Amino acid sequence: MENSEKEKQGFELLPISQEALGGQDTEEFYEVRRIWVKEEICWYYSVVDVVKLLTRSKNPGVYWSALKKRNRHDQGFTDILTQIKELPLRGKDGKLRGAEFVTREVMLRLVQNIPSERAEQVRRWLAQVGEEKLQEVEQQTQAEQLRDLYIRQGRTPEWADARIQNLLSRNALTDEWLARGAQQHLHFGLLTGTIHRGTFGITSDTHHHAVKKLPKSIKNARDHYTEEELGVLTLAELAARRMHEQNDSQGVPQLLQDAQAAGNFGGQVRQQFEALTGQPVVSSQNFLDQPKGRRKKKQLPLPEQETLFEATQEPDIDEK
């Protein structure tokens, strides 16, 4: 089914791999419909689809109806039924009909009430697919909060979008560095400085303190970049990440080689942009003249692990 058709019907089809069900060698194929309820920030899963997955029934709707009747005096099962939400789904005939959906937590409880050799695999699968979306929503929520904060500080929506995209790119790049053998406190500064110097033609220390006149106490120098500076650097860091992936670079020497190539590419992009616009990309502009109450960046609530926007800040270094 095409994505546009899924959107018309109002649900997402979630295929279940045989590996998730225990790796049986069979041609059986299952899909579970789920709907994202934005107001509650959670997925709702089709009860009938999960019943079919657990029981292999050819008529899961009938099985589900019988199960409800059989357990109508069971208080625990009755509690589950009270948490069912009826959501509209468009059928093959184009008509909307109500279908029963429950949250992941309720579905996990429901699985315990249906005899099945697949129960444990289905519970594990439900836990996995739910967590992925929650992480995505958490990141999106932080992005929206940060964008609103930047705009309240007097930045333009275009600048806020460019800054957030730079944060995303930067965090994805540092994830690659960690996975490929670089250590944050030993190597991130060198790798970042290499890309920076290649892209802008000056070291980060010169850029931040000699050109932009930022005090040493500034922790997030990129919050003082222009939209042009952010755009060019984001593209250069994306190039570095793609090179790491394509070359399967491992260890600092290979990562540094990729960083040098990405910096050279960023420098070419900058020079072409300057030739096209007639204006230099490197700018003395900063945001130090904001009202005092707005200078300090608001800290978002942090979970136990690093969030999307805990961007690793590079030190101002002048590489030899």
Side-chain angles (χ1 to χ4, degrees):
M1 182 182 295
E2 296 296 329
N3 289 336
S4 59
E5 184 64 23
K6 292 179 187 177
E7 292 172 1
K8 288 180 182 179
Q9 297 197 17
F11 63 86
E12 174 182 296
L13 280 177
L14 195 61
I16 321 277
S17 67
Q18 289 302 320
E19 182 180 0
L21 297 177
Q24 300 94 334
D25 186 13
T26 174
E27 295 182 356
E28 289 179 308
F29 181 76
Y30 296 91
E31 290 181 322
V32 172
R33 291 169 293 180
R34 64 178 182 178
I35 294 177
W36 180 251
V37 179
K38 185 182 299 184
E39 295 77 13
E40 300 181 36
I41 316 180
C42 68
W43 284 113
Y44 272 79
Y45 296 82
S46 167
V47 173
V48 171
D49 290 350
V50 175
V51 168
K52 180 180 180 181
L53 175 63
L54 287 165
T55 65
R56 297 184 174 92
S57 172
K58 294 183 179 180
N59 198 332
V62 173
Y63 184 101
W64 172 236
S65 296
L67 185 66
K68 287 191 288 186
K69 291 179 181 179
R70 187 165 63 245
N71 292 278
R72 62 181 181 273
H73 299 303
D74 185 313
Q75 184 60 45
F77 195 87
T78 302
D79 290 342
I80 292 175
L81 296 181
T82 61
Q83 300 183 67
I84 290 176
K85 182 186 288 288
E86 188 173 278
L87 299 173
L89 284 179
R90 195 174 300 279
K92 294 182 179 180
D93 58 2
K95 296 181 179 180
L96 286 173
R97 295 181 177 85
E100 293 179 313
F101 285 76
V102 293
T103 64
R104 181 180 59 157
E105 290 74 13
V106 176
M107 186 65 77
L108 287 169
R109 291 175 55 195
L110 180 60
V111 169
Q112 295 175 348
N113 288 268
I114 301 177
S116 172
E117 62 186 21
R118 290 180 168 179
E120 182 59 28
Q121 288 88 349
V122 172
R123 279 197 292 268
R124 291 177 182 174
W125 173 78
L126 281 168
Q128 177 184 354
V129 296
E131 185 63 25
E132 292 171 354
K133 181 64 179 183
L134 290 177
Q135 291 175 355
E136 176 186 331
V137 171
E138 178 184 299
Q139 293 175 354
Q140 181 179 355
T141 300
Q142 290 182 21
E144 292 172 353
Q145 290 175 338
L146 194 57
R147 188 178 190 273
D148 290 343
L149 173 63
Y150 283 140
I151 292 175
R152 290 198 305 271
Q153 290 177 338
R155 321 292 180 94
T156 66
E158 294 77 14
W159 184 94
D161 290 339
R163 179 66 177 112
I164 290 171
Q165 186 58 48
N166 180 258
L167 281 164
L168 288 165
S169 179
R170 168 70 181 174
N171 288 352
L173 179 59
T174 56
D175 285 346
E176 286 290 330
W177 288 347
L178 286 172
R180 296 177 184 278
Q183 297 182 41
Q184 178 175 339
H185 299 295
L186 292 177
H187 308 124
F188 279 21
L190 174 62
L191 293 167
T192 301
T194 299
I195 297 173
H196 187 285
R197 185 170 59 183
T199 299
F200 296 115
I202 55 176
T203 66
S204 57
D205 184 77
T206 300
H207 188 183
H208 300 161
H209 307 302
V211 178
K212 289 188 175 292
K213 307 297 183 183
L214 298 175
K216 292 288 185 178
S217 59
I218 292 293
K219 293 183 179 180
N220 299 308
R222 295 188 188 193
D223 281 349
H224 298 271
Y225 281 21
T226 63
E227 188 178 342
E228 290 80 1
E229 289 169 316
L230 289 170
V232 172
L233 184 56
T234 298
L235 192 58
E237 291 185 330
L238 174 60
R241 179 157 54 94
R242 290 289 182 255
M243 292 187 68
H244 297 336
E245 296 168 348
Q246 293 173 6
N247 298 335
D248 192 21
S249 301
Q250 301 294 332
V252 174
Q254 291 185 12
L255 295 175
L256 183 58
Q257 187 175 14
D258 292 344
Q260 291 170 339
N264 291 337
F265 165 73
Q268 294 172 12
V269 172
R270 172 182 58 81
Q271 291 169 6
Q272 292 181 15
F273 186 91
E274 291 172 340
L276 183 66
T277 63
Q279 298 292 329
V281 168
V282 176
S283 170
S284 61
Q285 179 181 340
N286 60 50
F287 293 90
L288 295 177
D289 57 348
Q290 296 179 72
K292 291 183 178 180
R294 293 183 175 180
R295 286 186 187 177
K296 187 174 181 180
K297 179 180 173 182
K298 180 180 178 181
Q299 296 295 320
L300 298 179
L302 301 178
E304 293 181 0
Q305 297 181 349
E306 289 189 353
T307 65
L308 173 72
F309 296 108
E310 283 187 88
T312 302
Q313 299 300 322
E314 68 276 16
D316 291 327
I317 56 176
D318 188 355
E319 301 83 12
K320 300 298 182 181

